[in-house]
Amino acid sequence: MTITIHYTFLPHTDADAALAFYRDTLGFELRNDVGYQDMRWLTVGPPNQPETGIVLHPPAADPGITDDERRTILELIAKGSYGALTLATDDLDGLFDRLQASGADVVQEPTEQPYGVRDCAFRDPTGNLIRINERR
């Protein structure tokens, strides 16, 4: 039996800004763009991994949550404490330079971590933490 990661979900507060970041800056392909009323769900992913996708979704769209819960979710997103993703690349310095040049919000420059990983970190336009590990 084989189990793989097919989708993961991250919130977005601006679909166009999220698409620009994930498609134009990171180089992911747009696989699906679904609209409903004034909301959009975007599915993006690395071109070399067609079986793995990230669904960028409107936060707090679940009709079963209360207004207080919706406000709490939006506050956590604004603080950058709600969503996170770790990616990997074989050219950490090159990707870091490209992201920094795009104006992405740098959280951490490439650093050798004491637990054996070299990585950097950014926030996407929504505030989700994106860590990028160097493949070795």
Side-chain angles (χ1 to χ4, degrees), residues 2 38 46 61 134:
T2 301
D38 62 345
E134 183 174 64

Side-chain angles (χ1 to χ4, degrees), residues 32-47:
N32 207 357
D33 186 340
V34 177
Y36 176 72
Q37 295 178 353
D38 62 345
M39 298 176 285
R40 283 171 68 194
W41 286 256
L42 306 167
T43 303
V44 297

Side-chain angles (χ1 to χ4, degrees), residues 10-22:
L10 283 177
H12 74 73
T13 53
D14 179 333
D16 292 328
L19 182 57
F21 179 80
Y22 286 93

Side-chain angles (χ1 to χ4, degrees), residues 21-99:
F21 179 80
Y22 286 93
R23 182 191 59 198
D24 303 337
T25 304
L26 284 178
F28 287 179
E29 59 188 12
L30 176 64
R31 299 194 181 139
N32 207 357
D33 186 340
V34 177
Y36 176 72
Q37 295 178 353
D38 62 345
M39 298 176 285
R40 283 171 68 194
W41 286 256
L42 306 167
T43 303
V44 297
N48 63 339
Q49 292 181 298
E51 71 286 351
T52 304
I54 302 166
V55 179
L56 303 167
H57 64 90
D62 183 342
I65 64 172
T66 67
D67 288 340
D68 285 342
E69 291 167 334
R70 185 171 285 108
R71 273 191 295 280
T72 299
I73 290 169
L74 293 172
E75 288 170 4
L76 289 168
I77 289 169
K79 286 177 49 178
S81 301
Y82 191 76
L85 179 69
T86 300
L87 305 172
T89 182
D90 54 3
D91 183 7
L92 184 64
D93 294 311
L95 183 54
F96 176 85
D97 291 343
R98 186 169 85 206
L99 286 162

Side-chain angles (χ1 to χ4, degrees), residues 109-136:
E109 294 186 5
T111 302
E112 192 71 43
Q113 301 292 354
Y115 43 87
V117 172
R118 184 168 183 260
D119 69 355
C120 66
F122 290 85
R123 293 207 186 279
D124 74 4
T126 297
N128 297 307
L129 181 64
I130 311 298
R131 295 198 77 79
I132 305 170
N133 291 352
E134 183 174 64
R135 267 194 231 116
R136 296 182 179 181

